[in-house]
Every structure is written in structure tokens, then in C-alpha cells.
Amino acid sequence: MKRTASKRLVTISDVAQSAGVSKATAARVLGSYGTASPVVKEKVREAAKRLGYQANELARSMTTGKSKTIGVVVGDIENPYFGQAVRGISDAAHAAGFDVILSNSGEDAAKEKAAVRVLMGKRVDGLIVTPASVFETQHLHEVQRSGRPLVLLDRTIPDLAVDAVVTDDRQAAEAATRALIEAGHRRIAYISATESEDPIYRGPHQINLSTVMERIEGVVAASRSAGIQHPERYIRLGAHRRGLGDKIIAELLQGADRPTAILASDTVVALEVFKTLRRLGMSIPGDLSLVAFHDADWTSVTSPPITVIAQPVYELGFESAQILVRRITGMGDTPRCRVLATTLIKRQSIGAPPELEDSGAVLQDDAAKIG
Amino acid sequence: MKRTASKRLVTISDVAQSAGVSKATAARVLGSYGTASPVVKEKVREAAKRLGYQANELARSMTTGKSKTIGVVVGDIENPYFGQAVRGISDAAHAAGFDVILSNSGEDAAKEKAAVRVLMGKRVDGLIVTPASVFETQHLHEVQRSGRPLVLLDRTIPDLAVDAVVTDDRQAAEAATRALIEAGHRRIAYISATESEDPIYRGPHQINLSTVMERIEGVVAASRSAGIQHPERYIRLGAHRRGLGDKIIAELLQGADRPTAILASDTVVALEVFKTLRRLGMSIPGDLSLVAFHDADWTSVTSPPITVIAQPVYELGFESAQILVRRITGMGDTPRCRVLATTLIKRQSIGAPPELEDSGAVLQDDAAKIG
DNA sequence: TTGACATGTGAGACCGGTCTCAAATACGGT
DNA sequence: ACCGTATTTGAGACCGGTCTCACATGTCAA
């Protein structure tokens, strides 16, 4: 058995010595740059193979300044939404010869900040980030100032002039809401998983994600143009943690003037709605209609199958990586925000609203609000 | 506006010069090693802050030889199974002060090899890998030989003496099969997503994953001890690609002596079973009973809810990272394989087998095999 | 006062590559 | 044979940190 020393690795100098050439020459052959005669090339390659040489990419990156690596910070790897996006990123990156380092922030701005710092420290050539908050963005501004390319994924930050790739959430929310209105609904809830101590929506200052704001605007706009009064009252936030989501949904459905339809911000929330409904003995779409963001694979096998807003998640990742690579290699035209379209996939979770006893009271309530 | 040069970053020499101390002293303060007087510390820290100094981790790792980073190669990031495992890894790693670099192999041994090479090149302190094949393992042997700690996740490799963390697949498959047998089933299929050109199982040589082999053994053992003849005939492989899975399942269910129960290797396959059944106009558990590996969150909201084998996936990741960190920092007791237990969660997808016309023929068939 | 010893600081080697530059060699034409 | 040019090669600086070691200073006991 070959007792290779486990500590010290083979360096280019070792190879050079063994091949009987200078370090510089060996480096040229192994690094595929400069020139070397065929016979020398062969000698060096043979020695490298024999010694089991593997280049130290760290050293290489340090001198060249390029690491051929892009850093990615996503909100939650466990969420299949980001899983798909990451695959898109990986595919595009690898196709361009880049590696990917992934971190997840758990949607926590502080963790995100730390992750970005680490990746910058590792001298990645560029960054793709799904920012956890539009408020805490100093670290991203710093990245931009340092000149390292940065692409925002899924969400934008208003005052940060970098590339971004997002889906058209406003228009998606509007379309979904319109579909519910066309089915006869007037009391439509939007339940978001976004972080928030207060589950009740009181205004834009609470919202720290561009997507959430856009969706709320979409729901409100569609409702308003259908003559629905005060649609904001059915908006709920912070349904992220499992137990909490359940509570928020149950309270919403058991309260006075309960909504007859729910738009869920992702499939995790939709799942929570499903479970809560089962617990309350209510059915879809008889008692409640449901639409969810994200066409997760399982949404077509529930009963009833869920009507969803399909987002081009893989493309979102793929495009963002392509843009980033272009910035790294090429140069700077002005940053753009690419908006990808979504599709409403109609399945069987939308029905006519049930006849609610207190329906008249609600109208009165609405009327009172006007007067 | 401060026009920070976008190209050249601030180095420790810049900070030293600005603070009026030597490079060595500045490094001691900023690197938190050696000694420095309080007043000098203050000066250096102030200068670093003013200049926006960020350490070059590459340079740091190069001299120290440690990168405080562990590399992870998983089969498929999109699969929620691995998503959970990765979170477990991240949590344990970060708790110990390590960063995580993630790659995915797409269950392709060649890609896995490339990913391992890249990570080794980046001088990660250790590796966690879910090996795509028990046959192509030279690269993993090389890692082991180089002395860099390696932990296998979810799967083992017989002749490779490194740590591993897996679930007890044999016992899980046995328990699931027994549950089906107790419900009266005698024709039980196991459908695996594992890569294979031939969907029919002909022997162990086809199987390139330890988990798959264990599960097959589990199913066969439970069947045999219940007196079921030739249980292997209902084993199908390669249900990975979407279209193919559908075809394999449909053929199995429409063939002579069709199985009355299916054990699916993961929830993606289970989903495929659901869809195919719907297409064929069959129902669960009336026409077919179903059990699946992996307690994906949605398996409780289908109708009927699916009986699953819950695996401690997060723990799998968490443990593997802990073991790896222990190896990196501490030293070598002999490598161990940690086996975590699974739980059978009984829901409503198991029922009595339907009265099949050709039931008698099957028994004859079985009997014929004995004579 | 002097010596023993702890503490703070700077000079410079080093990690393992890349890259510049000059010297050495090969080649081609007259 | 001889010169001009192209190609191959080696010496050594460099990237940005860490680390060793020598030297300067401060403290305290004899």
C-alpha cells in the first residue's frame, strides 16, 4: 500500500522538480497558459499524474483575482421554490464555467448580511441574492460600491441600482383576484408568509419585501376596480411559522364577515389552509375557494386540485445567473430589472361563494365605512 | 459621493499604513492573534473601519491551510428530501463556525466527481457526499487517501472506510411491507426512482445505491417470511424521469397479476402513482394500497392521506455535519456508520386488497414456481 | 544599578500559484 | 556562415494574508 503522507499536498514545485523543469514551466503546462514544447508538456503531465497533483484553487484565485465562482444567498433552501431557482442558477453557471457557493439566510437580514460578508471574503466573482428585507440593505449597497456584480433574485430593492430578475407579482395577484371576483367572490383574503409581528395589515411600512407589496397592490387594485370596499381588511401577514399560520387562518375563517376566498402567498401557506379547513370541517370549494402562488408538483393531486399561479422559477434562476455571468465577463450597460410573466393554472379549487347568513350585515358594514 | 476605486480592494497593508503601524501588527489586531496594546488595537480598528477593510479569506486560508468551510455534494437540490438534509448540515456547520459550499450532482457520477474535484481544489476542510453510485468511487477513495475528512450521507459504500450517516432502510421497507401483508396483500410492488436502463429487476448487479439494495432486501425478506413466492417480480427501477415513471407504473398496473399494493421509493414516485391511478380511473385504497418513503409535508392533505415512512432527514444532515466537524477538529477514532431509525406513519392509503378475478391463477402460478 | 523576564512591535520569509522579463535556443532566409 | 525573428525556458517578484524571530521597551527583584 502506498503510504501517501496525509498532510502535505503535492504542489506545482514538486511536480516541476520531479519533471526536471522550472516551477514556471510546470505552471504553464498545468495552468494551460503561455507556451511549452510538446516534449516538456508530456513530461510535466506525466509527473503531475504520477504524483497525484491537484491545483490549489485558492492560490490560483489569489493571484488572478478571479475565482470562477458565484455566490448565492437564498431565503430558504428547504422551500422547493428556491430549490428550483437554485437548479436554474447552477445550470446556467456551470454552462458558463462557474461554480456555485450556496448559503441560506432563513429570511433573516442579519444572517443574510453575514452570508454576504463570507462570500465576499471568499472573493466570489459575483453574487445572486434574494434580499430578505427592503429596509436592511447596507451590505448590498456595499457590494455594489465594491464593484462586484450583484443580481437580485425574485425581489427588488427600490434604491439599489443593480440587475434584478423577478416575476410579475402585481399582475399575477390581480389576475388571481379577478378570477375569484368573476366566480362571485367579494370577500377575498390574501395570506402572506412574510415576516411580521403583527398579523393584521396596517400599511406599507410593515412590508419588507417588494413581492409582498406588489401582490397586495394587485389584490387591492383588482378588488377596487370591482367596487369592493376596503379590501385590505382581509390581508394577513406572518403566516410563516407553522403553528402561527394555523392560528391566523382559523381566526380569519371563524371571525365575523369571514372571507369566502383565500389567496395564499405560497404552497406552504396553502397547505396550512388545507389542514385548518379539514380541522374546521369546511370544504374546498364549497365553503371556501383557494388560489395559491407557486405550482408545486403536488398541487395537482389534492382534492380538489388547487388553482395556482405558476411562476417560471427555474428560468428566474437561470436568467439571473446568465445576467450575472455577462456582467462578470463583459461590462456595464445600465442595470435592468427583468420581469418574467406568470400563468394562472385553473384547477378545481375555485367555486361560487357560499350563501353566508351575515352577508347583508357585511354590505351594511361596508356602507357604514363610506358614510 | 465617495468614489471608491471599484477595482483594487483594501488590504491589510493599506490599513497598517493608514494606522501608522507595521503590516504584522495590523494583521495581529485584525486577525485576532498574537498581542497588541489597547491603543494600537484601537488605531488599527478605526483605520480598518474607515477604509472599509474586509479580509481576503483566500489569502488567509492559503497560509493557515484551513478554510473553515465544508463542501457538500447532494444528488438533487430540488428534491425536498435533500433540501431538509442541507438545512440540517448548515445548522450544525454554522453552529461550529463553518461555512458550507453546496454542489449538486444530479445523481450523475461524472458530475459528482467533478464537483468533488472543485471542492477539493477550493481546499474545503471536509466533505459530505451522497454518493451517486457504489460502482464509481475512485474519486471518493482519493479524498480518503488525501486525508481530508469525508462523511457519506444517506448512502454507504461497502469498501470505503469512512464515516456515514444513513437511515435504516432495510428495516423500514420490512415494516412497510409487513403492514401491507397484514392488510391482506400478497402482491406488493416496490417502485424505485433509482437510475437503471432496465425497469425490470434482475439482480443486485443492477443496483448502484446501498439504500435501494437494502430496501429491496427488506421487501423480499418480509414477503418471504409471509410465504409469498418470488416477490422480486414486482420490483421496478428507473422511475425517475417523469414520463418514464408513468409508463412503468401503468404497465405494472395493467399487466396480468397486477400488484394490489405499491411501495414508492420517494414522494415524487408516489405522486406519479397518484396521477397514473387517476388517469386509469383507479382509486386508493379501493383498487390499490400505497406506502411511500419520505414524509413530505403534502402527503397528509391528499385524499386519502398517504401512509409514509418518515425519515429523520434533518437529523441525518445535522449528525453528518457534526461528525465531520469532530473529525476536522479532533482526530481519528475508527470510522463508524450511524444508522437512524425511521417511523411508519399510518394514514389512510392502506386498505384490503380488491377481489381480483385472476387471483386464483396467481396462486397457481406461484405454486407452479415451486414444483 | 543591573539582570531576568514578560510584553509589544517590526522585518521578512512563506503559502502555491501567476506573470513579467530577460536569456537561451531554434528556425528561416540570403 | 550569419543575422533577424520567433519560440521556449527559468529567475524572481507578486497576490494578501500568517507566522517566526529578533529587537525594543517595561516591570520587578536582588
Side-chain angles (χ1 to χ4, degrees), chain A residues 113-267:
Chain A
K113 205 168 163 175
V116 167
R117 203 172 36 65
V118 166
L119 293 174
M120 289 292 284
K122 289 199 190 301
R123 296 296 189 265
V124 293
D125 291 342
L127 276 174
I128 296 178
V129 179
T130 59
S133 166
V134 288
F135 301 125
E136 300 187 48
T137 60
Q138 321 88 309
H139 56 298
L140 298 178
H141 276 97
E142 268 169 39
V143 171
Q144 190 213 15
R145 234 179 291 128
S146 80
R148 226 189 233 45
L150 168 65
V151 174
L152 300 182
L153 180 66
D154 185 60
R155 305 153 189 180
T156 60
I157 289 177
D159 58 340
L160 184 63
V162 300
D163 294 289
V165 184
V166 301
T167 54
D168 195 344
D169 281 297
R170 191 178 198 287
Q171 129 78 25
E174 241 183 288
T177 307
R178 247 198 322 271
L180 289 167
I181 290 171
E182 276 163 21
H185 294 273
R186 310 285 294 172
R187 294 190 246 150
I188 301 165
Y190 174 61
I191 301 184
S192 171
T194 194
E195 217 60 57
S196 170
E197 331 82 63
D198 186 358
I200 309 287
Y201 174 68
R202 304 185 192 281
H205 61 277
Q206 268 174 296
I207 309 300
N208 59 8
L209 254 43
S210 62
T211 51
V212 178
M213 204 55 239
E214 293 222 348
R215 291 172 183 190
I216 289 178
E217 285 171 14
V219 170
V220 169
S223 299
R224 285 260 165 72
S225 72
I228 295 171
Q229 306 294 327
H230 197 38
E232 296 89 344
R233 66 190 160 139
Y234 289 125
I235 294 172
R236 290 295 180 279
L237 312 171
H240 186 70
R241 280 172 296 173
R242 312 248 143 166
L244 203 61
D246 178 83
K247 193 159 154 267
I248 290 170
I249 295 162
E251 277 180 12
L252 185 63
L253 289 178
Q254 293 176 308
D257 309 336
R258 75 162 182 88
T260 59
I262 285 180
L263 177 56
S265 71
D266 66 36
T267 46

Side-chain angles (χ1 to χ4, degrees), chain A residues 40-93:
Chain A
V40 165
K41 273 184 184 166
E42 184 46 35
K43 267 199 300 182
V44 172
R45 294 227 174 86
E46 190 278 326
K49 190 161 197 175
R50 182 159 38 77
L51 268 50
Y53 170 76
Q54 266 211 301
N56 184 335
E57 295 296 338
L58 258 44
R60 186 167 282 171
S61 307
M62 203 171 62
T63 45
T64 59
K66 331 231 121 287
S67 61
K68 274 288 179 181
T69 304
I70 70 180
V72 177
V73 184
V74 305
D76 177 15
I77 320 182
E78 260 188 272
N79 190 326
Y81 182 86
F82 290 119
Q84 260 177 279
V86 168
R87 206 168 65 80
I89 291 172
S90 293
D91 287 355

Side-chain angles (χ1 to χ4, degrees), chain A residues 6 54 57-59 62 69 78 84 87 99-100 102 117-118 121-123 146 275 278 298 300 303, chain B residues 6 54 56-59 62 69 78 84 87 99-100 102 117-118 121-122 146 275 278 298 300 303:
Chain A
S6 72
Q54 266 211 301
E57 295 296 338
L58 258 44
M62 203 171 62
T69 304
E78 260 188 272
Q84 260 177 279
R87 206 168 65 80
D99 298 313
V100 173
L102 186 72
R117 203 172 36 65
V118 166
K122 289 199 190 301
R123 296 296 189 265
S146 80
K275 288 180 184 167
R278 175 172 298 175
W298 57 269
S300 67
S303 25
Chain B
S6 69
Q54 267 212 302
N56 183 336
E57 295 296 339
L58 256 43
M62 203 171 63
T69 304
E78 262 188 89
Q84 259 176 278
R87 205 167 66 79
D99 297 314
V100 173
L102 187 72
R117 205 175 32 65
V118 167
K122 288 199 189 304
S146 80
K275 287 180 184 166
R278 175 173 297 171
W298 57 268
S300 67
S303 29

Side-chain angles (χ1 to χ4, degrees), chain B residues 12-53:
Chain B
I12 210 153
S13 302
D14 300 332
V15 174
Q17 188 167 17
S18 168
V21 299
S22 74
K23 182 185 158 193
T25 300
R28 271 190 286 261
V29 176
L30 268 12
S32 315
Y33 60 92
T35 57
S37 66
V39 48
V40 165
K41 273 185 184 166
E42 182 47 34
K43 266 200 302 186
V44 171
R45 294 228 173 85
E46 189 278 328
K49 190 161 197 175
R50 182 160 38 76
L51 267 49
Y53 169 76

